[in-house]
Amino acid sequence: MLAPLWTSWTLETLREHGPLRAPQLRSAMPWLNTATLHQVLLRMRASDLLARPERDCYAASTLGQDARPVHRTLASWHARHFDVGNAWRRPDRVEDALSRLRGKGPVDVLTALEEHGPLRPGALCSATGLATGSFHYRTQQLLDDGLITRLGSDQRFAYSLAPAARGLAPVFVELRDFGRLSETAAAAEHANERSAVASRAHAARRHSPAAPRATGLFSHPDQPPPREPAYVTALSHPARPR
């Protein structure tokens, strides 16, 4: 949810300047063209990270505000372990940090090494459950990003966690807590939608007396019982003797 490019920049910009219209956001992030910004805003609204307090105006939603501890911890971790100069702002560090963790596989590799210690390639691949091609791609990515190391120059040597990866514990704590908040927000949104649908249905029934009464789980209207054939009636209710 937080990893896609420009998500952190958009949230930080809205936190700093308050609610902004799309042209104002475009001016605050001039490196984005209008089409790209539009796609970013659509994606973030779909993820419930943005709210619209008024027409064509955007603000960080409650969930978007809850991402702030994650961003702060990611930026702090990045500053401790990656020397990229003082020109980088916090959103730059956050997005670079997330780029090292995004995708399928990096967290699986890091978790396996944290649980088992240094592992040779075959054992590590088995521990992660990744396909061979995906495993080699991800381990090379993690080597390039400085999160794992090799205990020798040969391809047979084991992989081990780099110091930067060993410092990820606070980041994972914040990401876990944010994940729980996002699940709670999604459940609340779903409950609100169901409540709104039920309220509209109730109002429609109340204002439409002729509408059939809803019954059962699937709201099927009551159906009159089928009329029994004459011969069934005769067998079930024999004529009384005179």
mmCIF file of all heavy atoms in Angstrom, residues 17-46:
data_model
loop_
_atom_site.group_PDB
_atom_site.id
_atom_site.type_symbol
_atom_site.label_atom_id
_atom_site.label_comp_id
_atom_site.label_asym_id
_atom_site.label_seq_id
_atom_site.Cartn_x
_atom_site.Cartn_y
_atom_site.Cartn_z
ATOM 1 N N HIS A 17 1.355 20.930 3.742
ATOM 2 C CA HIS A 17 0.609 22.084 3.226
ATOM 3 C C HIS A 17 -0.886 22.015 3.508
ATOM 4 O O HIS A 17 -1.598 22.994 3.240
ATOM 5 C CB HIS A 17 0.815 22.198 1.712
ATOM 6 C CG HIS A 17 2.239 22.423 1.321
ATOM 7 N ND1 HIS A 17 2.894 23.617 1.520
ATOM 8 C CD2 HIS A 17 3.155 21.587 0.752
ATOM 9 C CE1 HIS A 17 4.136 23.526 1.079
ATOM 10 N NE2 HIS A 17 4.324 22.294 0.617
ATOM 11 N N GLY A 18 -1.387 20.887 4.014
ATOM 12 C CA GLY A 18 -2.814 20.774 4.237
ATOM 13 C C GLY A 18 -3.537 20.371 2.971
ATOM 14 O O GLY A 18 -2.903 20.046 1.964
ATOM 15 N N PRO A 19 -4.883 20.381 2.995
ATOM 16 C CA PRO A 19 -5.634 20.005 1.795
ATOM 17 C C PRO A 19 -5.241 20.842 0.587
ATOM 18 O O PRO A 19 -5.078 22.060 0.691
ATOM 19 C CB PRO A 19 -7.089 20.268 2.204
ATOM 20 C CG PRO A 19 -7.091 20.167 3.691
ATOM 21 C CD PRO A 19 -5.760 20.701 4.127
ATOM 22 N N LEU A 20 -5.056 20.179 -0.548
ATOM 23 C CA LEU A 20 -4.654 20.853 -1.780
ATOM 24 C C LEU A 20 -5.492 20.352 -2.940
ATOM 25 O O LEU A 20 -5.889 19.181 -2.972
ATOM 26 C CB LEU A 20 -3.171 20.599 -2.081
ATOM 27 C CG LEU A 20 -2.123 21.162 -1.114
ATOM 28 C CD1 LEU A 20 -0.740 20.670 -1.520
ATOM 29 C CD2 LEU A 20 -2.162 22.678 -1.074
ATOM 30 N N ARG A 21 -5.713 21.222 -3.889
ATOM 31 C CA ARG A 21 -6.340 20.810 -5.140
ATOM 32 C C ARG A 21 -5.278 20.201 -6.054
ATOM 33 O O ARG A 21 -4.077 20.378 -5.827
ATOM 34 C CB ARG A 21 -7.033 22.002 -5.802
ATOM 35 C CG ARG A 21 -8.138 22.593 -4.951
ATOM 36 C CD ARG A 21 -8.910 23.667 -5.677
ATOM 37 N NE ARG A 21 -9.918 24.254 -4.802
ATOM 38 C CZ ARG A 21 -11.098 23.713 -4.528
ATOM 39 N NH1 ARG A 21 -11.435 22.576 -5.114
ATOM 40 N NH2 ARG A 21 -11.949 24.305 -3.714
ATOM 41 N N ALA A 22 -5.737 19.480 -7.055
ATOM 42 C CA ALA A 22 -4.805 18.781 -7.942
ATOM 43 C C ALA A 22 -3.776 19.720 -8.570
ATOM 44 O O ALA A 22 -2.574 19.395 -8.590
ATOM 45 C CB ALA A 22 -5.576 18.017 -9.006
ATOM 46 N N PRO A 23 -4.157 20.911 -9.087
ATOM 47 C CA PRO A 23 -3.136 21.812 -9.651
ATOM 48 C C PRO A 23 -2.117 22.274 -8.611
ATOM 49 O O PRO A 23 -0.940 22.457 -8.938
ATOM 50 C CB PRO A 23 -3.970 22.983 -10.188
ATOM 51 C CG PRO A 23 -5.322 22.429 -10.432
ATOM 52 C CD PRO A 23 -5.524 21.425 -9.346
ATOM 53 N N GLN A 24 -2.559 22.438 -7.366
ATOM 54 C CA GLN A 24 -1.624 22.836 -6.313
ATOM 55 C C GLN A 24 -0.655 21.706 -5.981
ATOM 56 O O GLN A 24 0.533 21.951 -5.735
ATOM 57 C CB GLN A 24 -2.411 23.252 -5.068
ATOM 58 C CG GLN A 24 -3.256 24.494 -5.258
ATOM 59 C CD GLN A 24 -4.183 24.745 -4.079
ATOM 60 O OE1 GLN A 24 -4.848 23.831 -3.568
ATOM 61 N NE2 GLN A 24 -4.228 26.006 -3.629
ATOM 62 N N LEU A 25 -1.159 20.478 -5.974
ATOM 63 C CA LEU A 25 -0.265 19.334 -5.773
ATOM 64 C C LEU A 25 0.730 19.223 -6.913
ATOM 65 O O LEU A 25 1.915 18.929 -6.697
ATOM 66 C CB LEU A 25 -1.086 18.040 -5.685
ATOM 67 C CG LEU A 25 -1.521 17.566 -4.317
ATOM 68 C CD1 LEU A 25 -2.495 16.402 -4.439
ATOM 69 C CD2 LEU A 25 -0.322 17.158 -3.472
ATOM 70 N N ARG A 26 0.258 19.473 -8.101
ATOM 71 C CA ARG A 26 1.133 19.434 -9.284
ATOM 72 C C ARG A 26 2.236 20.481 -9.164
ATOM 73 O O ARG A 26 3.395 20.217 -9.495
ATOM 74 C CB ARG A 26 0.278 19.698 -10.532
ATOM 75 C CG ARG A 26 1.045 19.873 -11.813
ATOM 76 C CD ARG A 26 1.486 18.554 -12.406
ATOM 77 N NE ARG A 26 2.030 18.758 -13.717
ATOM 78 C CZ ARG A 26 3.268 19.165 -13.969
ATOM 79 N NH1 ARG A 26 4.092 19.422 -12.982
ATOM 80 N NH2 ARG A 26 3.685 19.305 -15.219
ATOM 81 N N SER A 27 1.928 21.651 -8.645
ATOM 82 C CA SER A 27 2.935 22.700 -8.457
ATOM 83 C C SER A 27 3.919 22.323 -7.348
ATOM 84 O O SER A 27 5.106 22.645 -7.428
ATOM 85 C CB SER A 27 2.256 24.027 -8.121
ATOM 86 O OG SER A 27 1.435 24.458 -9.183
ATOM 87 N N ALA A 28 3.421 21.645 -6.306
ATOM 88 C CA ALA A 28 4.295 21.258 -5.200
ATOM 89 C C ALA A 28 5.210 20.099 -5.572
ATOM 90 O O ALA A 28 6.271 19.928 -4.965
ATOM 91 C CB ALA A 28 3.445 20.876 -3.988
ATOM 92 N N MET A 29 4.809 19.293 -6.565
ATOM 93 C CA MET A 29 5.631 18.179 -7.035
ATOM 94 C C MET A 29 5.808 18.317 -8.543
ATOM 95 O O MET A 29 5.240 17.547 -9.328
ATOM 96 C CB MET A 29 4.982 16.842 -6.667
ATOM 97 C CG MET A 29 4.845 16.625 -5.173
ATOM 98 S SD MET A 29 4.245 14.962 -4.717
ATOM 99 C CE MET A 29 2.562 15.038 -5.352
ATOM 100 N N PRO A 30 6.578 19.303 -8.988
ATOM 101 C CA PRO A 30 6.628 19.638 -10.419
ATOM 102 C C PRO A 30 7.250 18.560 -11.291
ATOM 103 O O PRO A 30 7.133 18.629 -12.520
ATOM 104 C CB PRO A 30 7.461 20.926 -10.434
ATOM 105 C CG PRO A 30 8.274 20.875 -9.188
ATOM 106 C CD PRO A 30 7.424 20.194 -8.173
ATOM 107 N N TRP A 31 7.917 17.585 -10.697
ATOM 108 C CA TRP A 31 8.518 16.515 -11.501
ATOM 109 C C TRP A 31 7.470 15.518 -11.996
ATOM 110 O O TRP A 31 7.781 14.654 -12.818
ATOM 111 C CB TRP A 31 9.573 15.769 -10.675
ATOM 112 C CG TRP A 31 9.064 15.280 -9.352
ATOM 113 C CD1 TRP A 31 8.442 14.099 -9.090
ATOM 114 C CD2 TRP A 31 9.115 15.996 -8.118
ATOM 115 N NE1 TRP A 31 8.103 14.016 -7.773
ATOM 116 C CE2 TRP A 31 8.513 15.155 -7.147
ATOM 117 C CE3 TRP A 31 9.621 17.221 -7.720
ATOM 118 C CZ2 TRP A 31 8.395 15.539 -5.806
ATOM 119 C CZ3 TRP A 31 9.509 17.590 -6.398
ATOM 120 C CH2 TRP A 31 8.894 16.759 -5.461
ATOM 121 N N LEU A 32 6.223 15.606 -11.508
ATOM 122 C CA LEU A 32 5.149 14.729 -11.974
ATOM 123 C C LEU A 32 4.314 15.454 -13.024
ATOM 124 O O LEU A 32 3.919 16.606 -12.822
ATOM 125 C CB LEU A 32 4.237 14.326 -10.813
ATOM 126 C CG LEU A 32 4.838 13.470 -9.699
ATOM 127 C CD1 LEU A 32 3.757 13.115 -8.687
ATOM 128 C CD2 LEU A 32 5.452 12.206 -10.257
ATOM 129 N N ASN A 33 4.035 14.776 -14.134
ATOM 130 C CA ASN A 33 3.122 15.380 -15.101
ATOM 131 C C ASN A 33 1.678 15.128 -14.645
ATOM 132 O O ASN A 33 1.421 14.355 -13.716
ATOM 133 C CB ASN A 33 3.365 14.847 -16.515
ATOM 134 C CG ASN A 33 3.197 13.342 -16.616
ATOM 135 O OD1 ASN A 33 2.270 12.767 -16.052
ATOM 136 N ND2 ASN A 33 4.096 12.690 -17.351
ATOM 137 N N THR A 34 0.738 15.765 -15.296
ATOM 138 C CA THR A 34 -0.656 15.713 -14.869
ATOM 139 C C THR A 34 -1.212 14.292 -14.905
ATOM 140 O O THR A 34 -1.921 13.861 -13.990
ATOM 141 C CB THR A 34 -1.519 16.628 -15.764
ATOM 142 O OG1 THR A 34 -1.003 17.969 -15.677
ATOM 143 C CG2 THR A 34 -2.972 16.620 -15.318
ATOM 144 N N ALA A 35 -0.889 13.546 -15.960
ATOM 145 C CA ALA A 35 -1.408 12.183 -16.089
ATOM 146 C C ALA A 35 -0.885 11.279 -14.971
ATOM 147 O O ALA A 35 -1.632 10.487 -14.385
ATOM 148 C CB ALA A 35 -1.050 11.610 -17.454
ATOM 149 N N THR A 36 0.413 11.398 -14.662
ATOM 150 C CA THR A 36 0.996 10.566 -13.608
ATOM 151 C C THR A 36 0.388 10.908 -12.257
ATOM 152 O O THR A 36 0.048 10.016 -11.467
ATOM 153 C CB THR A 36 2.516 10.742 -13.561
ATOM 154 O OG1 THR A 36 3.077 10.381 -14.828
ATOM 155 C CG2 THR A 36 3.132 9.877 -12.476
ATOM 156 N N LEU A 37 0.262 12.203 -11.972
ATOM 157 C CA LEU A 37 -0.338 12.607 -10.702
ATOM 158 C C LEU A 37 -1.766 12.079 -10.588
ATOM 159 O O LEU A 37 -2.183 11.621 -9.516
ATOM 160 C CB LEU A 37 -0.320 14.135 -10.581
ATOM 161 C CG LEU A 37 -0.989 14.694 -9.325
ATOM 162 C CD1 LEU A 37 -0.281 14.199 -8.069
ATOM 163 C CD2 LEU A 37 -1.007 16.223 -9.362
ATOM 164 N N HIS A 38 -2.514 12.129 -11.676
ATOM 165 C CA HIS A 38 -3.886 11.628 -11.658
ATOM 166 C C HIS A 38 -3.917 10.146 -11.283
ATOM 167 O O HIS A 38 -4.746 9.722 -10.470
ATOM 168 C CB HIS A 38 -4.535 11.845 -13.027
ATOM 169 C CG HIS A 38 -5.937 11.348 -13.123
ATOM 170 N ND1 HIS A 38 -6.985 11.906 -12.418
ATOM 171 C CD2 HIS A 38 -6.479 10.310 -13.835
ATOM 172 C CE1 HIS A 38 -8.097 11.252 -12.695
ATOM 173 N NE2 HIS A 38 -7.824 10.289 -13.543
ATOM 174 N N GLN A 39 -3.017 9.355 -11.853
ATOM 175 C CA GLN A 39 -2.963 7.931 -11.544
ATOM 176 C C GLN A 39 -2.570 7.697 -10.088
ATOM 177 O O GLN A 39 -3.115 6.803 -9.415
ATOM 178 C CB GLN A 39 -1.973 7.227 -12.476
ATOM 179 C CG GLN A 39 -2.419 7.172 -13.926
ATOM 180 C CD GLN A 39 -3.732 6.440 -14.101
ATOM 181 O OE1 GLN A 39 -3.948 5.386 -13.493
ATOM 182 N NE2 GLN A 39 -4.616 6.988 -14.916
ATOM 183 N N VAL A 40 -1.619 8.496 -9.582
ATOM 184 C CA VAL A 40 -1.211 8.367 -8.182
ATOM 185 C C VAL A 40 -2.386 8.659 -7.255
ATOM 186 O O VAL A 40 -2.645 7.922 -6.293
ATOM 187 C CB VAL A 40 -0.032 9.319 -7.876
ATOM 188 C CG1 VAL A 40 0.257 9.361 -6.375
ATOM 189 C CG2 VAL A 40 1.220 8.879 -8.634
ATOM 190 N N LEU A 41 -3.126 9.707 -7.541
ATOM 191 C CA LEU A 41 -4.262 10.086 -6.696
ATOM 192 C C LEU A 41 -5.357 9.026 -6.743
ATOM 193 O O LEU A 41 -5.946 8.690 -5.708
ATOM 194 C CB LEU A 41 -4.806 11.444 -7.127
ATOM 195 C CG LEU A 41 -3.861 12.641 -6.932
ATOM 196 C CD1 LEU A 41 -4.476 13.906 -7.499
ATOM 197 C CD2 LEU A 41 -3.514 12.828 -5.461
ATOM 198 N N LEU A 42 -5.640 8.491 -7.924
ATOM 199 C CA LEU A 42 -6.646 7.432 -8.037
ATOM 200 C C LEU A 42 -6.238 6.214 -7.215
ATOM 201 O O LEU A 42 -7.060 5.620 -6.498
ATOM 202 C CB LEU A 42 -6.828 7.035 -9.495
ATOM 203 C CG LEU A 42 -7.651 7.977 -10.385
ATOM 204 C CD1 LEU A 42 -7.675 7.446 -11.816
ATOM 205 C CD2 LEU A 42 -9.072 8.126 -9.852
ATOM 206 N N ARG A 43 -4.977 5.815 -7.340
ATOM 207 C CA ARG A 43 -4.507 4.633 -6.609
ATOM 208 C C ARG A 43 -4.568 4.858 -5.106
ATOM 209 O O ARG A 43 -4.998 3.984 -4.352
ATOM 210 C CB ARG A 43 -3.078 4.300 -7.045
ATOM 211 C CG ARG A 43 -2.425 3.219 -6.207
ATOM 212 C CD ARG A 43 -1.067 2.839 -6.747
ATOM 213 N NE ARG A 43 -0.238 3.964 -7.075
ATOM 214 C CZ ARG A 43 0.400 4.723 -6.184
ATOM 215 N NH1 ARG A 43 0.246 4.482 -4.889
ATOM 216 N NH2 ARG A 43 1.181 5.710 -6.560
ATOM 217 N N MET A 44 -4.165 6.037 -4.649
ATOM 218 C CA MET A 44 -4.149 6.316 -3.218
ATOM 219 C C MET A 44 -5.559 6.444 -2.657
ATOM 220 O O MET A 44 -5.810 6.067 -1.506
ATOM 221 C CB MET A 44 -3.334 7.573 -2.941
ATOM 222 C CG MET A 44 -1.850 7.395 -3.221
ATOM 223 S SD MET A 44 -0.886 8.881 -2.915
ATOM 224 C CE MET A 44 -1.058 9.049 -1.124
ATOM 225 N N ARG A 45 -6.489 6.957 -3.447
ATOM 226 C CA ARG A 45 -7.877 6.999 -2.989
ATOM 227 C C ARG A 45 -8.436 5.584 -2.876
ATOM 228 O O ARG A 45 -9.164 5.266 -1.934
ATOM 229 C CB ARG A 45 -8.733 7.815 -3.955
ATOM 230 C CG ARG A 45 -8.546 9.315 -3.831
ATOM 231 C CD ARG A 45 -9.737 10.059 -4.400
ATOM 232 N NE ARG A 45 -10.919 9.827 -3.594
ATOM 233 C CZ ARG A 45 -12.175 9.945 -4.045
ATOM 234 N NH1 ARG A 45 -12.400 10.262 -5.307
ATOM 235 N NH2 ARG A 45 -13.194 9.736 -3.244
ATOM 236 N N ALA A 46 -8.102 4.727 -3.838
ATOM 237 C CA ALA A 46 -8.572 3.342 -3.788
ATOM 238 C C ALA A 46 -8.015 2.611 -2.571
ATOM 239 O O ALA A 46 -8.638 1.676 -2.059
ATOM 240 C CB ALA A 46 -8.177 2.613 -5.067
#
